[in-house]
């Protein structure tokens, strides 16, 4: 990496240059020209899931904490993975109590706290996503905790509980879709993570509305895929050349329309 590019990352972001002075050039469009200087695109590309920042050329905020986004993604990934195994019915397990423990203490607490840290350092996207999904895990877990009385309220009409959970999942699908729209200029695997969440909420909502065991199992499979994508983005957020022989190289999504 050139000295100029290191200096650029330390001092400026894409907002420092007027849009008219930013251009993509080179035979393979491998360079970005900022003003009168030219840089390799891969040197400036930081929009990937490890930081949960979809801004294509945004510098990750400098702060006193570690990468809280990676921690939140780790909580999401493990909790979603175990939930997926539960929905697919692996080894005949039908009691979700282990998932609830993860939902409250790892998926819920850790994602909420990491999202709060991201808000403090100015990463509005990560803060919004992580705190929101942290609340998702809290609310999801509370459905199955007797002390909250949610399931008990539907004891006489259990089909209403399934429909209510379906509506609940549709609400989260709408939120997820809106957040997905903010990732279309980022990278392939970052975008894929949110697409998989859209599919997951859709399939699980359908499973609750219809009572279909096949749809529930399909939702479990999608959850496992979504957790793997989450783990990849977690690795991308903590792996460096100093601590690993392998690092994640982001694959940018092509920009359609004008490039200048």
């Amino acid at each position: 990496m050139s000295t100029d590019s290191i200096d650029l990352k330390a001092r400026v972001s894409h907002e420092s240059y007027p849009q008219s002075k930013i251009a993509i050039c080179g035979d393979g469009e491998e360079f970005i020209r900022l003003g009168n200087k030219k840089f390799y695109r891969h040197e400036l590309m930081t929009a990937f899931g490890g930081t949960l920042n979809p801004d294509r050329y945004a510098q990750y905020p400098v702060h006193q904490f570690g990468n809280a986004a990676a921690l939140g993604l780790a909580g999401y990934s493990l909790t979603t993975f175990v939930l997926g195994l539960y929905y697919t019915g692996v080894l005949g397990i039908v009691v979700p109590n282990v998932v609830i423990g993860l939902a409250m203490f790892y998926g819920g607490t850790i994602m909420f706290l990491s999202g709060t840290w991201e808000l403090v350092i100015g990463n509005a996207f990560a803060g919004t996503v992580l705190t929101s999904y942290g609340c998702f895990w809290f609310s999801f877990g509370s459905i199955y905790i007797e002390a909250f009385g949610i399931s008990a309220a539907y004891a006489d009409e259990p089909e209403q509980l399934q429909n209510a959970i379906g509506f609940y999942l549709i609400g989260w699908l709408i939120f997820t879709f809106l957040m997905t729209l903010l990732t279309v200029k980022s990278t392939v695997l970052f975008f894929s993570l949110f697409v998989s969440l859209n599919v997951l909420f859709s399939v699980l909502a359908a499973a609750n509305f219809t009572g279909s065991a096949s749809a529930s199992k399909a939702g479990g499979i999608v959850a496992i895929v979504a957790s793997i994508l989450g783990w990849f983005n977690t690795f991308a957020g903590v792996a460096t050349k100093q601590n690993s022989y392998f690092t994640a190289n982001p694959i940018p999504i092509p920009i359609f329309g004008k490039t200048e």
Side-chain angles (χ1 to χ4, degrees):
M1 182 181 298
S2 67
T3 302
D4 285 342
S5 64
I6 294 175
D7 182 60
L8 175 75
K9 291 181 178 180
R11 293 185 291 108
V12 302
S13 71
H14 65 292
E15 295 178 351
S16 300
Y17 285 88
Q19 187 69 23
S20 60
K21 292 187 177 181
I22 301 176
I24 297 176
C25 55
D27 294 337
E29 296 188 341
E30 70 273 24
F31 296 104
I32 292 178
R33 185 179 296 280
L34 301 178
N36 59 356
K37 293 185 178 182
K38 185 168 66 175
F39 307 91
Y40 281 103
R41 293 179 69 178
H42 70 270
E43 292 182 351
L44 298 179
M45 176 63 69
T46 60
F48 65 97
T51 61
L52 267 183
N53 191 341
D55 293 350
R56 182 165 281 260
Y57 303 115
Q59 179 183 0
Y60 194 71
V62 177
H63 54 89
Q64 61 184 358
F65 300 111
N67 184 359
L71 176 61
L73 283 165
Y76 152 80
S77 302
L78 179 55
T79 309
T80 304
F81 177 74
V82 177
L83 179 69
L85 294 178
Y86 163 71
Y87 271 116
T88 54
V90 174
L91 298 180
I93 296 174
V94 296
V95 179
N97 291 44
V98 172
V99 182
I100 303 312
L102 283 171
M104 301 303 287
F105 295 103
Y106 197 28
T109 302
I110 293 302
M111 289 190 75
F112 186 87
L113 290 176
S114 62
T116 302
W117 294 335
E118 289 294 321
L119 287 173
V120 169
I121 66 172
N123 191 348
F125 179 86
T128 301
V129 167
L130 292 173
T131 53
S132 296
Y133 286 132
C135 290
F136 163 78
W137 287 117
F138 282 138
S139 58
F140 179 81
S142 67
I143 296 173
Y144 300 93
I145 297 176
E146 292 183 7
F148 285 93
I150 297 175
S151 295
Y154 298 90
D156 296 332
E157 297 180 278
E159 69 280 357
Q160 286 195 24
L161 175 61
Q162 297 306 115
N163 289 331
I165 293 175
F167 290 140
Y168 165 83
L169 293 171
I170 289 295
W172 283 105
L173 171 62
I174 295 171
F175 170 77
T176 301
F177 175 74
L178 293 175
M179 295 300 101
T180 303
L181 294 178
L182 305 179
T183 67
V184 294
K185 289 185 177 181
S186 60
T187 56
V188 172
L189 290 174
F190 188 26
F191 176 69
S192 298
L193 171 62
F194 281 85
V195 170
S196 68
L197 281 174
N198 281 273
V199 177
L200 176 59
F201 284 123
S202 300
V203 175
L204 290 183
N208 279 276
F209 284 135
T210 63
S212 170
S214 298
S216 181
K217 185 173 183 178
I221 294 172
V222 175
I224 293 172
V225 172
S227 69
I228 292 172
L229 288 170
W231 267 323
F232 176 86
N233 285 288
T234 301
F235 178 80
V238 295
T240 66
K241 293 181 179 179
Q242 287 70 41
N243 65 21
S244 174
Y245 289 106
F246 308 98
T247 57
N249 294 317
I251 304 172
I253 297 174
I255 295 179
F256 299 97
K258 294 183 178 179
T259 58
E260 297 186 6

